[in-house]
Amino acid sequence: MKSKHWTWVGWPLGALPLAWITMQAAGGQLGPDPAETLVELLGWWSLVMLLACLTMRPAAQLLKVPGLVIWRRTFGLWAFGYVCMHFLAWATLLLGWDPSFLGEELTKRPYIIIGMLAWLALWPLALTSTRQSRRRLGRKWVKLHRLIFPAVLLGVVHQSWVQKSGYGETLIFVSVLLILLLYRILHGRNMIRK
């Protein structure tokens, strides 16, 4: 099946977590501190979407379904959307956009700084996600889009510091990332050339 037949499926898949979070919030099921839970859920799904984006090439090759590759961009854009919502929820619901709180958080808390760096690393990827940008930038586009790796790594570090109980989720995220990196290394230049 050609890629174009697969394109539309990725968008509703990426929207499912947001729909679930919205239903949980509407039903008052986000626990005693709904604002904090909302921020955490949006951040968690950001990381899941980033890893899903990185998984598409290996999945397409291993499952012999080339059309899956088209979802890299879809899940990458969803990841950026979830990260933006994570930031907006944090700044709005937890800090109320108070400049003094924002300034303090952004300068004195290492996990916030790491999270901001991950978010900033995703901006150039989102802004150059179009086919036109890819054609215009040529090989530079491939190099630029390798920023996803430091972004995911920073996201995992941020998540591990924010996590309140145990490190089980962090170990899963790190394991998936290491497997994907190992796969990429073992498959050499063919993987790098998207």
Side-chain angles (χ1 to χ4, degrees), residues 11 62 87 136 140 146:
W11 291 105
L62 293 171
F87 170 77
R136 190 176 69 248
K140 291 178 184 175
R146 289 184 193 150

Side-chain angles (χ1 to χ4, degrees), residues 102-123:
L102 279 167
E104 185 177 338
E105 292 284 308
L106 292 172
T107 55
K108 294 185 179 176
R109 299 195 190 276
Y111 70 93
I112 298 291
I113 295 167
I114 293 292
M116 287 298 292
L117 289 173
W119 182 53
L120 291 173
L122 292 175
W123 272 94

Side-chain angles (χ1 to χ4, degrees), residues 9-10 12 38 50 57 69 76 81 100 109 111 130 134 136 150 161 165 169-171 188 191-192:
V9 181
L38 178 65
L50 281 171
R57 168 76 65 180
V69 173
S100 60
R109 299 195 190 276
Y111 70 93
T130 63
R134 187 171 185 163
R136 190 176 69 248
W161 279 349
S165 59
E169 287 182 2
T170 300
L171 287 174
M191 285 295 296
I192 292 171

Side-chain angles (χ1 to χ4, degrees), residues 69-150:
V69 173
I70 199 72
W71 289 356
R72 287 179 307 174
R73 178 177 174 270
T74 305
F75 287 129
L77 288 172
W78 267 119
F80 180 69
Y82 279 98
V83 172
C84 289
M85 287 185 281
H86 173 64
F87 170 77
L88 289 171
W90 169 76
T92 304
L93 301 175
L94 299 184
L95 302 182
W97 287 100
D98 184 315
S100 60
F101 287 152
L102 279 167
E104 185 177 338
E105 292 284 308
L106 292 172
T107 55
K108 294 185 179 176
R109 299 195 190 276
Y111 70 93
I112 298 291
I113 295 167
I114 293 292
M116 287 298 292
L117 289 173
W119 182 53
L120 291 173
L122 292 175
W123 272 94
L125 306 185
L127 293 173
T128 60
S129 65
T130 63
R131 287 189 183 98
Q132 183 181 5
S133 294
R134 187 171 185 163
R135 281 194 299 270
R136 190 176 69 248
L137 293 171
R139 294 184 69 78
K140 291 178 184 175
W141 185 91
V142 174
K143 291 179 181 178
L144 176 66
H145 279 251
R146 289 184 193 150
L147 276 173
I148 193 169
F149 293 104

